[in-house]
Each structure stands twice: as structure tokens, then as C-alpha cells.
Amino acid sequence: MKHDGFMAEAVRLSLESVRKGTGPFGAVVVKDGRIVGRGHNRVTSTLDPTAHAEITAIRDAASNLGAFDLSGAVLYTSSYPCPMCLGAAYWARLDRVYYANSIQDAARAGFDDQFFYDELARPEDQRSLPMIHLEHPEASIAFDTWIKLENKTVY
């Protein structure tokens, strides 16, 4: 299967998701020329605000491959990823992301992520969601212990 076939599967999943009433998004993760993860939007069906198509596809791929590091894998998604999904793609160490619909296409359908991009570009003290540093005397113990831990899986 080539680019068009992988994107066709992501688009098929987005249409399936629309038919289920769960949102017009679909995604697949591909590694070594085969689909290793599939996902579609499940926000409303699972009551999970993080269950976007890209996230569910990444979770499926990680589970199927038995690995959290998806280096060498590629994400095909029916729409440009929101900031959360883009962050997940980075955390998964994906090699690249292909998308079909643009940010503007998503906004036209009522999924306008521009607010999030604008918020993230603002200094912390100017965002609409207050971020308050609340120090705790024992908070750094977990980090200090992690740093010293010899038998850790670095991610």
C-alpha cells in the first residue's frame, strides 16, 4: 500500500466515525509499509476529551507493537492535528505526519483549533487558563529519585 492507500484508510475511518456520530476524524499509523494502528474520534462515545483520532491510532499502534517509542512510524490523518495530537505525535517519536484536510477545513466544519494555537503562543500569565505554580517541599523527590534510578526506561 502507498501514500494514497494509507490516506484513503484514514479518510474511510473518518467517514465511519461520522456515520457513528462521533466526529469526522480518522487516522492510521504505518510502520514498515503496513498499518499498525487505527483510530477515529471517540470523544463523545467514550466521554474522553483526549480520544481524538490521532491519539486513538497512536494508542492502538503502541499496543499492537508493544512499544511506546514509535520511531520509524508515520501518521496519516484525515485532518491537520490539533495541538494535543501534534504533541502526542512528537511524544510517540513518529517520523512524519501526513494530513488531508487543513486547519481551515476543520474550522469550516466547526472544529476551530486557532484558539489553542493562540493560547499556547501567549506568555503563561496571559492565558485564559490560569497556570499557577504551587510549590511543595516534597515535589522534587520524585525527580531526584528518577535521576538516580539506574534501572529506568528513558522516554
Side-chain angles (χ1 to χ4, degrees), residues 47-105:
L47 305 179
D48 178 355
T50 68
H52 290 197
E54 297 89 342
I55 301 282
T56 60
I58 290 169
R59 288 174 181 164
D60 189 44
S63 176
N64 290 334
L65 295 174
F68 58 83
D69 184 336
L70 301 181
S71 296
V74 176
L75 177 69
Y76 290 82
T77 179
S78 64
S79 186
Y80 192 89
C82 74
M84 177 184 68
C85 293
L86 194 53
Y90 278 104
W91 275 110
R93 311 287 194 282
L94 296 172
D95 284 8
R96 67 182 46 90
V97 176
Y98 295 99
Y99 64 93
N101 290 308
S102 69
I103 292 172
Q104 294 78 17
D105 295 329

Side-chain angles (χ1 to χ4, degrees), residues 5 8 25 31 33 37 73 89 98 101-102 107 117 127 132 137 145 148 153:
F25 301 98
K31 187 168 185 176
Y98 295 99
N101 290 308
S102 69
Y117 292 109
R127 295 181 187 159
I132 301 135
T145 303
K148 294 174 188 169
T153 302

